[in-house]
Amino acid sequence: MKKKFLAKALSVVMAAALLTGCGGGKDKATSGSGGDGGSDVITVGFSQVGAESDWRTANSESMKSTFSEANGYKLIFDDAQQKQENQITAIRNFIQQEVDYIVLAPVTETGWDTVLQEAKSADIPVIIVDRMVDVSSDDLYTAWVGSNFKLEGQKACEWLKAYAAAKGMKEINIVDIQGTIGASAQIGRTEALDEAVEANGWNLLAQQTGEFTQAKGQEVMESMLKQHDNINVVYCENDNEAFGAIDAIEAAGKKVGPDGDILVMSFDTTKAGITDTLSGKIILNTECNPLHGPRVEEIIKKLENNETPDKQAYVDEGIFAHGADVDKVTIDDTDYTVTEVTEDVIDGRAY
Ligand code: GZL
């Protein structure tokens, strides 16, 4: 509500001018625009990828509960149904509505320069959350907060290397059910696997996108099982793909888990995913934390106080395993603890 903000700012200046004669001055409004000096509502336009996974649902809930009316915000939430063109339309609508901030969870990394330039020209700060954008200049966004997806993949692969050694697995015949192609989470997790396959001499039998959904994950797993009868590890790039892969494996008469035919690895550690890790259906679940609402709010509060937020901020994330065969992994001389999933671990989690 930029126009309202300017009117309010003018009224504040005039009020301050009147007050200075009496020895008082009015602080800058503690929050953004919102009209006549009464409501200090900050309007946030949020373009969300979609509702493709349990992770996304938790992420949307975090944003909605943070940017609530009670907390002083007006949230305009748009679900793009995993289509970039819908996100671009949403951002243009936010610009038309003169929101105070635009938050974008980009479905894929490329194709954002034009619309981000439009937001910049409209003097509306853009905060990127979760996945990253690949743009000609990082001046096109104000700040980014999200995960280090390649590190997530490296943690998972280092765990598999240690687990295979501990269990005396003679060979790793692995398939990769990838996320949405071009999404930062897919790019990073796939890159880490490709490098581990090369470094450890694993047999990468197949790689195909499961689009981060359970249905597609099941379909892809069914196809891979028909083509390869020696798969012993499935690298699912999120929990929902893992749920679909498990269904396909069991429907094919094979067993998942430490004493079964196939180990299923996953990412996200959603409630359902960590529960499957407790049972062993998922043997390793690498955390990807979805609770970005408070992190985005912290950026907005800094901007409201005329402070400069970090350009990029990575979220710390853990590694959760079925069993205690591997207690830590080391990547670039940094140790990462592996947590064995127990009932208490599940009870203690925030999502
Ligand atoms: C990761 C996020 C991914 C999740 C999937 O930050 O972008 O998208 O891993 C989700 O579950 O669909």
Side-chain angles (χ1 to χ4, degrees):
M1 305 314 177
K2 286 291 171 199
K3 292 192 181 66
K4 285 188 169 182
F5 177 73
L6 291 175
K8 175 169 165 282
L10 187 60
S11 62
V12 165
V13 168
M14 288 168 65
L18 289 171
L19 282 172
T20 47
C22 319
K26 186 170 170 39
D27 295 336
K28 179 191 178 305
T30 51
S31 60
S33 65
D36 56 10
S39 73
D40 273 336
V41 173
I42 297 176
T43 304
V44 176
F46 177 39
S47 171
Q48 177 60 294
V49 166
E52 73 283 1
S53 63
D54 292 26
W55 187 98
R56 190 65 54 192
T57 302
N59 178 249
S60 292
E61 179 44 43
S62 175
M63 293 293 288
K64 288 175 180 173
S65 59
T66 299
F67 295 104
S68 65
E69 228 174 280
N71 289 342
Y73 298 96
K74 178 185 176 190
L75 179 67
I76 306 172
F77 180 95
D78 181 88
D79 173 337
Q81 295 168 356
Q82 295 212 85
K83 292 185 174 64
Q84 181 174 38
E85 61 267 27
N86 292 346
Q87 293 198 284
I88 291 171
T89 301
I91 292 170
R92 288 182 170 140
N93 288 337
F94 296 152
I95 294 169
Q96 284 301 315
Q97 297 172 70
E98 296 182 338
V99 299
D100 297 302
Y101 296 94
I102 291 172
V103 180
L104 169 64
V107 59
T108 50
E109 292 198 344
T110 56
W112 301 104
D113 283 66
T114 302
V115 76
L116 293 184
Q117 184 53 59
E118 291 168 19
K120 186 178 178 66
S121 304
D123 192 25
I124 300 176
V126 175
I127 297 161
I128 309 295
V129 63
D130 177 26
R131 304 171 188 176
M132 182 45 110
V133 292
D134 178 5
V135 288
S136 55
S137 163
D138 67 8
D139 288 342
L140 289 175
Y141 64 91
T142 301
W144 170 83
V145 57
S147 301
N148 185 331
F149 302 109
K150 180 161 184 187
L151 178 60
E152 290 176 353
Q154 290 171 321
K155 290 172 180 176
C157 292
E158 280 302 306
W159 175 90
L160 178 57
K161 180 182 168 187
Y163 182 85
K167 294 288 188 179
M169 292 174 73
K170 298 228 177 342
E171 58 184 8
I172 299 288
N173 301 316
I174 191 166
V175 294
D176 177 11
I177 303 182
Q178 296 173 287
T180 302
I181 300 300
S184 311
Q186 176 273 314
I187 294 168
R189 293 167 188 168
T190 295
E191 194 178 324
L193 177 64
D194 290 345
E195 290 176 2
V197 164
E198 184 68 29
N200 300 304
W202 299 342
N203 305 314
L204 180 58
L205 302 175
Q207 225 164 9
Q208 188 179 342
T209 183
E211 294 169 5
F212 285 135
T213 68
Q214 181 165 345
K216 190 70 179 171
Q218 180 169 350
E219 182 190 313
V220 167
M221 190 71 243
E222 285 165 356
S223 165
M224 290 173 167
L225 286 165
K226 287 187 181 112
Q227 294 170 54
H228 304 281
D229 61 4
N230 60 336
I231 299 168
N232 61 4
V233 182
V234 183
Y235 182 89
C236 299
E237 295 189 4
N238 86 325
D239 277 338
N240 294 78
E241 292 176 349
F243 305 151
I246 291 162
D247 288 347
I249 291 165
E250 292 178 338
K254 295 197 172 203
K255 200 169 172 304
V256 296
D259 305 319
D261 310 296
I262 298 179
L263 300 174
V264 176
M265 301 169 69
S266 186
F267 295 85
D268 283 357
T269 58
T270 58
K271 186 66 91 180
I274 204 87
T275 303
D276 275 357
T277 312
L278 177 68
S279 72
K281 285 195 170 202
I282 292 175
I283 196 74
L284 183 88
N285 209 325
T286 304
E287 183 182 9
C288 180
N289 190 292
L291 306 182
H292 289 318
R295 300 171 184 131
V296 174
E297 184 181 36
E298 194 183 324
I299 294 170
I300 287 178
K301 283 184 172 173
K302 282 188 174 164
L303 295 169
E304 283 291 302
N305 292 327
N306 297 318
E307 295 167 24
T308 305
D310 292 342
K311 191 72 179 179
Q312 296 186 351
Y314 286 99
V315 177
D316 288 335
E317 295 168 331
I319 313 168
F320 294 83
H322 174 80
D325 306 279
V326 179
D327 61 358
K328 72 175 170 74
V329 297
T330 302
I331 296 157
D332 299 333
D333 301 327
T334 302
D335 289 346
Y336 298 91
T337 302
V338 178
T339 301
E340 179 186 2
V341 176
T342 62
E343 290 287 358
D344 289 347
V345 166
I346 291 181
D347 292 345
R349 287 178 60 74
Y351 68 97

